[in-house]
Amino acid sequence: MSTERQLLRRSLDALEDVFYVYDERGKLVVWNSRLGDLFDLTDEELAGMTPPAFFVETDRPAVERAVREILAEGETVVEARANTSEGTIRFELTGRKLAGDDGELLGFCGVGRDVTDRRDQERRLAAQNHRLGEFATLLAHDLRNPLSVATGFVDLYRETGDGTALDRVSDALARIDAMVEEMLLVATHGRAATDVRPVDLDVVARDAWAMVDTPGATLDVRTDATVDADEPRLGRLFENLFRNAVQHAGPDVTVTVAATDGGFAVTDDGPGVDPADRGRVFDSGVSGVADGTGFGLAIVRAVAESHGWTVSLTEGSEGGARFEFVVSPCGAGDVELGM
């Protein structure tokens, strides 16, 4: 091998991205070592593979369309997911047609770049932007009512000197303060969790239970699993779920915390939630109690999303509310079941 060819080979192998060249039949003919490393394939196995063969089945049609676009338009960019030795990766794939001096098709080349983290960050940013939009709406709407109440009773006090009017003003201001604090918590807990370490679900759950006013309620912890999480945020998640159970299921509710195949669940033995209302319980400002701020479950969702988890509300085996948390493979948390 000449010095120039060896230099080119080493340069391509030094790339963190995947480099590939396909011939006019769409068969792989040149690649760098990154491709073989990611798919754990030998040079003999890679030779002649087609572009769709590397990607998950649902994304193969998009790759096939991209190849046709290269031949028709001269270039393309497409995203597709592949199962690799480093897990599932979302690639941004470029393609550019290669032609001879006489215009004859020689094939096409391109680069595959890992954009998994970038897309995850974009999704988190989109979720945060959505919450900011919710905040703006709530500030314009929900705060207007207690402000009007406070203003009205201030005017009444000026007219009559009745001191009880100031009590109503104080109540309205306290509600405003609570709503603002909850809004800030949603915004804070919605940021990506960075201080993540293994924590015991049972310990965090019991500590959170002690922080909630539950004189007649019962906590039943049926797991000694650990989860990779930001412990203060996870504690806040449990506190809000426990408080929600007491408010909606009654002071004598029993709340169960247990591990699941995909994560963990918090279930109560109360009346549950109407299926028609389950899709909106995590929205900011939605409350089923007269003096609620409507941010308790919004904070639960924000904490889950900050860890890369998903949360859903279903029905427990006894008909109560069941909050299920699924730890995403790409997220910050992983559940390790205890013995």
Side-chain angles (χ1 to χ4, degrees):
M1 181 182 295
S2 67
T3 302
E4 290 79 7
R5 286 178 59 84
Q6 186 177 19
L7 180 61
L8 176 60
R9 179 81 259 173
R10 294 292 176 83
S11 298
L12 293 176
D13 288 344
L15 294 175
E16 293 185 3
D17 299 329
V18 172
F19 175 79
Y20 42 81
V21 179
Y22 291 85
D23 64 16
E24 75 282 0
R25 300 169 300 162
K27 304 294 185 179
L28 185 65
V29 291
V30 178
W31 58 91
N32 63 350
S33 60
R34 179 66 172 154
L35 182 63
D37 293 342
L38 279 175
F39 292 91
D40 196 23
L41 296 172
T42 65
D43 288 348
E44 290 75 17
E45 292 170 324
L46 287 168
M49 288 184 64
T50 60
F54 291 98
F55 302 98
V56 299
E57 187 173 355
T58 53
D59 289 354
R60 289 175 186 174
V63 176
E64 293 170 349
R65 289 192 297 271
V67 172
R68 292 194 294 270
E69 185 175 351
I70 295 172
L71 302 179
E73 306 294 336
E75 60 183 7
T76 192
V77 178
V78 67
E79 291 188 10
R81 293 162 297 164
N83 296 319
T84 75
S85 59
E86 298 178 4
T88 301
I89 293 178
R90 177 179 290 275
F91 286 98
E92 180 184 75
L93 307 163
T94 64
R96 185 176 294 273
K97 184 165 67 174
L98 301 174
D101 293 338
D102 57 358
E104 178 185 4
L105 176 65
L106 299 178
F108 59 91
C109 67
V111 171
R113 176 161 295 169
D114 183 350
V115 295
T116 308
D117 290 342
R118 185 202 306 174
R119 292 294 174 260
D120 288 344
Q121 291 171 0
E122 288 174 353
R123 282 192 289 271
R124 290 193 181 100
L125 180 60
Q128 290 177 7
N129 287 339
H130 176 69
R131 280 191 288 272
L132 286 174
E134 290 180 334
F135 295 162
T137 301
L138 287 164
L139 283 169
H141 181 270
D142 287 19
L143 292 182
R144 183 175 297 147
N145 184 54
L147 281 173
S148 297
V149 170
T151 300
F153 279 100
V154 166
D155 291 340
L156 179 63
Y157 174 74
R158 286 171 175 169
E159 293 173 1
T160 65
D162 183 359
T164 60
L166 295 182
D167 294 334
R168 299 296 300 273
V169 173
S170 179
D171 291 342
L173 293 178
R175 178 165 177 77
I176 291 172
D177 182 66
M179 293 177 69
V180 170
E181 180 181 357
E182 294 293 287
M183 288 181 187
L184 291 174
L185 283 170
V186 173
T188 300
H189 290 313
R191 298 171 185 165
T194 55
D195 187 14
V196 173
R197 61 182 181 84
V199 296
D200 297 323
L201 277 175
D202 59 337
V203 173
V204 179
R206 290 190 174 94
D207 287 347
W209 186 259
M211 298 299 295
V212 179
D213 185 15
T214 57
T218 302
L219 175 66
D220 183 9
V221 180
R222 302 179 181 178
T223 178
D224 58 357
T226 61
V227 59
D228 289 344
D230 180 310
E231 186 169 357
R233 292 196 195 187
L234 181 58
R236 181 75 185 189
L237 178 149
F238 279 127
E239 286 179 30
N240 282 20
L241 288 176
F242 298 156
R243 191 174 293 112
N244 181 78
V246 172
Q247 290 176 340
H248 293 84
D252 58 349
V253 64
T254 295
V255 182
T256 303
V257 177
T260 65
D261 289 341
F264 62 96
V266 178
T267 310
D268 66 52
D269 62 352
V273 179
D274 191 311
D277 296 330
R278 292 174 189 170
R280 58 190 295 269
V281 296
F282 297 103
D283 293 342
S284 298
V286 176
S287 177
V289 292
D291 59 348
T293 62
F295 286 93
L297 294 182
I299 292 174
V300 169
R301 181 184 63 179
V303 171
E305 290 178 349
S306 74
H307 286 83
W309 306 339
T310 59
V311 57
S312 60
L313 172 59
T314 62
E315 185 176 297
S317 60
E318 299 181 8
R322 177 180 173 87
F323 294 87
E324 295 184 354
F325 297 85
V326 176
V327 175
S328 169
C330 298
D334 288 308
V335 172
E336 181 176 321
L337 300 180
M339 298 300 293

